Amino acid sequence: MRLTKRGEYALRTMIRLGIAEHQKEGVISVSSLAEQEHLPFKFLEAILFELRTAGYVESMRGKYGGTRLAKPMKSIKMGEIVRLIDGKLAPIGCASETEYEKCTCPDETHCGLRMLMIDVRNAIANILDRYTLENVVEVTLRKQQQCAATATKKTTAKKTAVTRHANPSDGFLAVLLDSVAQ
């Protein structure tokens, strides 16, 4: 599975709307949302249309209009959003539960690649379907607080170069488990 830009932007949008709800910001204009998340305005409009059609967000018209969540955060599974925007979670069609496609393998039933990709699909689905938007918003806010606390401690420390790799300590579970341990 590869998350498309459309899928990434939809998830980032939902998380930002969840943060706005948590912080009681009310509705957010599409232009403000696009600016805050560095998203192309027209692309965001199309994504919001899809999310609105599926009942995840609602729009308010008028001078102070904008977008907000239409469902409680705890009822929105992250996997639902990915499937809505990007479709199947399986890396190959013959491993998909929702969008199965016959493969060219001569013996699909005994195909090791298919069996491996089914496990990959199951692992992805288990993670995405385990966590709700509420979980992700809580962890996002917790990470922001941790970084803010660390930044105030390091105001006199020399700045280090920013690395551009995925650090395991920055993962969702690492942040979640770190807060539980404290």
Side-chain angles (χ1 to χ4, degrees), residues 56-107:
Y56 290 103
V57 300
E58 59 187 8
S59 296
M60 310 293 282
R61 293 186 177 267
K63 183 177 179 181
Y64 300 105
T67 303
R68 68 178 177 197
L69 295 176
K71 293 180 172 186
M73 286 190 284
K74 65 183 176 191
S75 71
I76 302 171
K77 301 273 187 191
M78 300 310 288
E80 294 172 4
I81 304 300
V82 173
R83 286 182 190 93
L84 172 70
I85 303 297
D86 282 344
K88 66 184 179 187
L89 297 179
I92 58 177
C94 63
S96 178
E97 283 185 345
T98 58
E99 296 182 33
Y100 171 83
E101 296 172 12
K102 176 117 177 80
C103 67
T104 59
C105 180
D107 186 7

Side-chain angles (χ1 to χ4, degrees), residues 13-155:
T13 298
M14 292 296 289
I15 293 166
R16 180 63 191 99
L17 291 173
I19 290 170
E21 182 176 299
H22 183 271
Q23 296 176 335
K24 303 195 184 339
E25 292 178 29
V27 297
I28 299 178
S29 71
V30 178
S31 59
S32 177
L33 191 55
E35 183 181 317
Q36 291 170 4
E37 289 298 317
H38 306 283
L39 303 177
F41 181 82
K42 287 292 183 188
F43 200 23
L44 178 59
E45 278 187 322
I47 291 167
L48 286 169
F49 176 79
E50 203 165 344
L51 291 168
R52 187 172 44 255
T53 301
Y56 290 103
V57 300
E58 59 187 8
S59 296
M60 310 293 282
R61 293 186 177 267
K63 183 177 179 181
Y64 300 105
T67 303
R68 68 178 177 197
L69 295 176
K71 293 180 172 186
M73 286 190 284
K74 65 183 176 191
S75 71
I76 302 171
K77 301 273 187 191
M78 300 310 288
E80 294 172 4
I81 304 300
V82 173
R83 286 182 190 93
L84 172 70
I85 303 297
D86 282 344
K88 66 184 179 187
L89 297 179
I92 58 177
C94 63
S96 178
E97 283 185 345
T98 58
E99 296 182 33
Y100 171 83
E101 296 172 12
K102 176 117 177 80
C103 67
T104 59
C105 180
D107 186 7
E108 186 177 286
T109 304
H110 301 103
C111 178
L113 175 60
R114 179 175 183 262
M115 290 183 274
L116 178 63
M117 292 301 118
I118 287 172
D119 286 349
V120 169
R121 183 225 41 228
N122 291 342
I124 291 169
N126 286 336
I127 291 170
L128 290 174
D129 293 336
R130 179 182 316 145
Y131 297 107
T132 64
L133 179 59
E134 182 177 56
N135 300 135
V136 177
V137 166
E138 287 174 5
V139 169
T140 301
L141 293 171
R142 191 173 299 140
K143 181 68 174 182
Q144 288 174 350
Q145 290 169 347
Q146 288 173 355
C147 288
T150 303
T152 56
K153 291 178 185 175
K154 292 184 177 181
T155 52

